[in-house]
Amino acid sequence: MSRKFFVNVTANILLIAIVISVFAVGVGGASHDAFNQDKLQPVYRGNADKKCVSLMINVYWGSEYIPEMLEIFSKYDIKTTFFVGGYWVAKNVELLQSIVDHGHEIGNHGFYHKDQGKLNYSQNVSEIMTNHKLIQQSVDIEPKLFAPPSGSFSSSTLNAAYDNGYTTIMWSRDTIDWRDKDADLVYKRATENTSNGELILMHPTAHTTSVLEKIVQYYLAEGYEIIPVSQNIA
């Protein structure tokens, strides 16, 4: 029996147990007073007073490009934030562990890449916490940052994230590399007219990986520190 087969079977058994435990949680929404409203709002940018930026890599596919991305980050001794989807995690635990071993931050990107803005409170909780528990049990990390798939969210999404200890993260600039397979365009969107606290969204794609080192070099040459999202928004 191959190691890969064993890992997949184990992951599926673990996933079933996690889903059952999440559905056992109460499904009612929560009300929040005015004092907490600021904490409920999504974050679009980091610290404007510090010359730093964050590279946000959202992962549901593109596993084959992640090792090269990790090599580039290691070459320049920088740390980033990988927002991983649960469906991807269930099939790529060893690669997730490699990301962790390289010292990068892990964020939550939901489980099935659903349109979170169209889900009710309990459905949002299920998407977020099923992935949360899978990540926790796979690599012993509890994420605190949630990036809603496609940037779609509602008050139910924000409440579900907040009630479970999460900060909802958006972005200040989007490379749109999932749609436009143009390395020069990805580079331009990642670097043009940048300022302090940028949260730069990208994905593991061939064209993004091909200009990733160039993007890193640009920011370092301009005197920016490249840091994980949690440090940027602190």
Side-chain angles (χ1 to χ4, degrees):
M1 182 180 294
S2 70
R3 174 177 174 80
K4 183 176 181 180
F5 177 80
F6 176 78
V7 169
N8 287 338
V9 170
T10 303
N12 288 335
I13 293 172
L14 176 61
L15 180 57
I16 292 171
I18 290 172
V19 170
I20 292 173
S21 69
V22 169
F23 274 107
V25 176
V27 297
S31 60
H32 300 85
D33 56 33
F35 179 77
N36 287 325
Q37 290 307 306
D38 286 345
K39 296 180 180 180
L40 283 170
Q41 298 307 307
V43 177
Y44 289 86
R45 179 181 290 274
N47 191 342
D49 297 324
K50 184 177 179 180
K51 197 161 186 180
C52 60
V53 299
S54 297
L55 304 180
M56 300 168 46
I57 299 95
N58 286 359
V59 183
Y60 264 100
W61 31 259
S63 301
E64 64 270 32
Y65 304 111
I66 291 177
E68 184 177 351
M69 297 179 90
L70 293 177
E71 289 181 8
I72 292 170
F73 294 142
S74 293
K75 178 179 179 180
Y76 293 90
D77 192 26
I78 60 175
K79 308 303 179 187
T80 63
T81 303
F82 286 79
F83 287 90
V84 296
Y87 187 76
W88 179 87
V89 170
K91 298 176 178 294
N92 295 276
V93 174
E94 291 183 350
L95 186 51
L96 177 62
Q97 185 64 61
S98 179
I99 295 172
V100 172
D101 291 344
H102 278 79
H104 297 289
E105 182 173 55
I106 303 300
N108 190 326
H109 198 38
F111 194 87
Y112 281 118
H113 205 275
K114 292 185 177 180
D115 187 336
Q116 303 266 164
K118 294 181 179 179
L119 304 181
N120 62 30
Y121 178 87
S122 63
Q123 290 169 330
N124 271 284
V125 169
S126 178
E127 275 292 297
I128 295 169
M129 294 309 295
T130 300
N131 191 22
H132 178 97
K133 292 188 176 184
L134 181 59
I135 293 170
Q136 180 185 13
Q137 295 184 32
S138 297
V139 293
D140 196 26
I141 284 176
E142 291 196 64
K144 296 298 181 184
L145 304 177
F146 171 63
S150 304
S152 174
F153 65 87
S154 67
S155 60
S156 293
T157 311
L158 299 177
N159 287 334
Y162 177 79
D163 290 345
N164 287 282
Y166 275 91
T167 299
T168 300
I169 304 296
M170 297 296 285
W171 58 81
S172 61
R173 58 178 54 233
D174 187 355
T175 61
I176 322 179
D177 53 357
W178 58 270
R179 186 191 71 189
D180 301 324
K181 298 175 175 58
D182 184 323
D184 291 336
L185 190 55
V186 169
Y187 176 79
K188 179 180 179 180
R189 288 171 176 163
T191 61
E192 189 174 53
N193 300 321
T194 53
S195 58
N196 294 356
E198 297 277 14
L199 303 179
I200 305 158
L201 178 60
M202 57 183 61
H203 301 79
T205 68
H207 41 288
T208 296
T209 305
S210 71
V211 292
L212 181 60
E213 185 168 13
K214 186 179 176 183
I215 291 171
V216 169
Q217 290 173 338
Y218 167 82
Y219 278 109
L220 296 180
E222 291 295 316
Y224 286 94
E225 184 180 7
I226 301 174
I227 60 178
V229 173
S230 62
Q231 295 179 24
N232 198 345
I233 67 175

